[in-house]
Amino acid sequence: MPEEKSPVAKTKKVKETSSSTLDKDLQLQEFTEDSSGEFLTSNQGVRINDNQNSLRGGDRGPSLLEDHFLREKLTHFDHERIPERVVHARGTAAHGTFESNGKGSKYSKAAFLKAGAVTPLFTRFSTVAGSRGSSDLARDVRGFATKFYTEEGVFDLVGNNIPVFFIQDAIKFPDFIHAVKPEPHNEIPQAQSAHDTFWDFVSINTEATHMVLWAMSDRAIPRSLRMMEGFGVHTFKFVDDKGVVSFVKFHWKPRLGVHSVLWDEALKISGTDPDFHRRDLYEAIEAGAFPQWDLGVQIVEASKEFSFDFDLLDPTKLIPEELVPVEIVGTMTLDRNPENFFAETEQVAFCISHIVPGIDFTNDPLLQGRLFSYLDTQLKRLGGPNFHELPINKSLAPVHNNQRDGHMRQTINSGRTSYEPNTVGGGCPFQAGADMSGFVSAVEKMSGLKARDRNLSFMDHFSQARMFYISQTEVEQQHIVEAFQFELLHCTIDEIKERMVGILQNVDDDLANRVASGIGVKTPVKLELPLNRQVPADADVAAYQPKPANKSKIAPSKALSILANPVNTAETLKVAMLVTEGFDAAAVKASMAALTAAGAQPKILAPHGGTVKGDDGKAIKVDFALPATRSVLFDALMVGGGVGCVSALSADARAKTFILETFKHCKPIGAEGKEAAAFILDTVNSATGKDASKAITAEHGIVVDSGKKADADNFVKCVAQQRFWARPFVNDITV
Ligand code: HDE
């Protein structure tokens, strides 16, 4: 074997704790520059004496072209931006590992799925429609892309937090994206689907209906990136060590459960903290609360390909978990934030074509188009064919081939040969060939006519949309109705609203009627379903017409509802401890201890910044001040007790707004003692004009802490439950 000559090799060490010999951290450290204690230099390493004044002809004279420091600095600055991603521009990422439990090895020979294998990875989460600077809380699909640096090469699992997609064929993607992006004449609106062109497109492309329902559901406004599922969306193939092929769908299941915010919160978070998700992920990792997801697979034996009433190659369909359960094959832990956003998060280049032996593609026509698009995108975005050499993209498995040159080539390939086969270079690098240890495409029989056609098995556009809707709890259905109303009320063209109601009639009449009544459309709408495809000559046109869902036949799937699958945990949740001078220090301290023990993060919130003194005379640091924050950034509220404290808070309008919002959003509220409880009740009563005393119960998530341990435990339990949807009077509050 030739000796490795890369400069990285000199210091490469193997971590003792890792079962793998791969260490991405060390590889990245090689490229990391720490400037502490260093002199300022130019890019050529020359020390710079004065970085404040450019070279001038006279101290009031013109700047001189000769100033090479000035020119170098400005030139670099002028080139600091690369094109943002056409889609998924807004995102954030973290490093971590994947630890396999070995169960995937039954179906795939991929080395990273072998029992005990630990593989470094980098995961980037994103929204789709908005620009790089847009708000995290847009109603949108979230990207969930993971780069596994496996010992057999890089595997990119580039998925979303919704298991299906809007379209069935890649050729429609640019149209769809143009429709959802800001409109071309005035570049409005930013990061929103609530406008004419999006709804125009989806109301005449009926295959989008299933995904549109997901996008109008709470899935599109996650509480945290740490609290959402991920899906590979397409059906992929697994290939085992004997060459046996099965179909597979990938799932990421968050250990913290799936949680979302309300649309009213999303709107307010966007104004108060547009970086809410990015900050949440960053802070959780900095605090050592490393988010985890289990990787699950749904496996379908190759012989069962046609045993479903939908096509496995159709990306607008999911496999209900009732039909094929999800088997867990390992766990991802995100435990390190990037050192530098641009170098890592911005320059990471995911390609769905980055795949390793043991995994293979299917003929899903959306997937097939993506196989072209991602590589093409990276060439444009990162400026050339050597993007795989950037530290964040670099494979940990050694790279040996005859690809050479190109913009910004970093590898210094030695030797005379850059071709294969060769004899001059001893035949190296040589193909894996007969030992089959390389990537081998699964053999598949192909036949058919060359035509722009799509199988009729792709024509059912409404059954799974209905399955999704009827699988939701009443609360979730109400959120879907309100989301449709909000979005369609932003459309200016009446025909689009009507058409959309007509589409919904094919899913569920109740849904259609409720949406219609809010947007002023009369039902039933007469709609001939659009035939947005070519029908082959002398074919039966009716067979190509999308059909309404068979409303009596479709069964719900419990796995599709967030609220029917609660994961109650207080871990990492932020609880505002609202206090001011004179607060009952012992009570607040005890509550904070109970919350911290449950993994929650109690934060002192006061009417002002600095410190605040309790009734024990001790000052404590204020974490958040009312003029600079809002209830929507917290998961729960505890109102501090103590007579002085409560009477001061009662005179503070911001404190009351904070309480009312928390109440309205059905979040847990605690009161340290009777005075605080009376203050909460008064605040709600005067906002609703009603006697809301029957809402002040633990059943509705409002706990009065009278100093007993049981009360503290009860509050922690409520925090873990997160929402109390049956709380009365919430609709009487307008904040
Ligand atoms: Fe993407 N998509 N996509 N997409 N996508 C991109 O690649 C594309 C699709 C997804 O964090 C782009 O590097 C086409 C489905 C994620 O860097 C681009 C089609 C799914 C990310 C592109 C799809 C995704 C992207 C833009 C239809 C879920 C962000 C920048 C055929 C399974 C990755 C880039 C990151 C990014 C093309 C459909 C997920 C333009 C043509 C379906 C998570 O190449």
Side-chain angles (χ1 to χ4, degrees), residues 348-371:
V348 65
F350 292 97
C351 288
I352 190 163
S353 49
H354 294 166
I355 206 163
V356 288
I359 305 175
D360 207 345
F361 312 114
T362 60
N363 296 330
D364 171 342
L366 195 71
L367 185 161
Q368 294 279 319
R370 292 179 76 200
L371 289 174

Side-chain angles (χ1 to χ4, degrees), residues 48-262:
I48 295 175
N49 266 25
D50 180 349
N51 192 35
Q52 319 304 320
N53 296 294
S54 44
L55 192 66
R56 291 192 188 99
D59 59 7
R60 296 184 64 251
S63 298
L64 300 182
L65 189 60
E66 181 191 323
D67 191 345
H68 60 302
F69 287 144
L70 173 71
R71 278 186 292 111
E72 181 196 80
K73 192 171 171 184
L74 290 185
T75 306
H76 193 276
F77 174 74
D78 296 345
H79 293 259
E80 273 174 9
R81 290 291 167 273
I82 60 173
E84 69 171 33
R85 290 165 172 84
V86 184
V87 284
H88 297 266
R90 170 83 186 165
T92 192
H95 293 274
T97 52
F98 174 76
E99 187 161 1
S100 166
N101 65 16
K103 294 198 175 138
S105 293
K106 214 162 95 193
Y107 312 108
S108 168
K109 63 179 177 187
F112 81 100
L113 292 174
K114 292 207 163 51
V118 178
T119 304
L121 53 76
F122 189 66
T123 293
R124 181 174 181 271
F125 303 103
S126 46
T127 53
V128 179
S131 294
R132 254 189 83 179
S134 57
S135 162
D136 282 344
L137 259 290
R139 173 176 293 284
D140 202 350
V141 183
R142 298 300 184 284
F144 192 133
T146 301
K147 190 179 278 297
F148 296 81
Y149 306 94
T150 90
E151 63 187 72
E152 294 172 309
V154 170
F155 169 47
D156 288 348
L157 182 53
V158 195
N160 278 342
N161 76 328
I162 290 179
V164 289
F165 202 64
F166 290 100
I167 48 169
Q168 296 173 326
D169 192 311
I171 202 165
K172 290 160 94 77
F173 191 66
D175 296 300
F176 167 67
I177 294 300
H178 289 170
V180 68
K181 282 272 186 183
E183 296 185 13
H185 61 305
N186 58 8
E187 220 189 29
I188 296 174
Q190 179 56 242
Q192 283 186 53
S193 49
H195 59 119
D196 284 320
T197 57
F198 172 77
W199 289 99
D200 186 29
F201 184 90
V202 297
S203 65
I204 47 179
N205 281 277
T206 46
E207 68 202 53
T209 310
H210 185 197
M211 174 79 162
V212 166
L213 271 139
W214 281 82
M216 293 303 111
S217 80
D218 297 341
R219 300 275 176 162
I221 37 175
R223 153 66 181 85
S224 159
L225 301 169
R226 302 174 293 123
M227 300 172 193
M228 60 184 205
E229 289 181 295
F231 303 91
V233 176
H234 313 282
T235 304
F236 288 83
K237 282 179 192 160
F238 264 169
V239 185
D240 74 8
D241 48 10
K242 295 190 187 63
V244 176
V245 172
S246 45
F247 293 103
V248 57
K249 291 260 193 201
F250 291 106
H251 295 244
W252 288 112
K253 301 256 183 199
R255 290 268 174 99
L256 293 171
V258 182
H259 303 278
S260 292
V261 297
L262 287 162

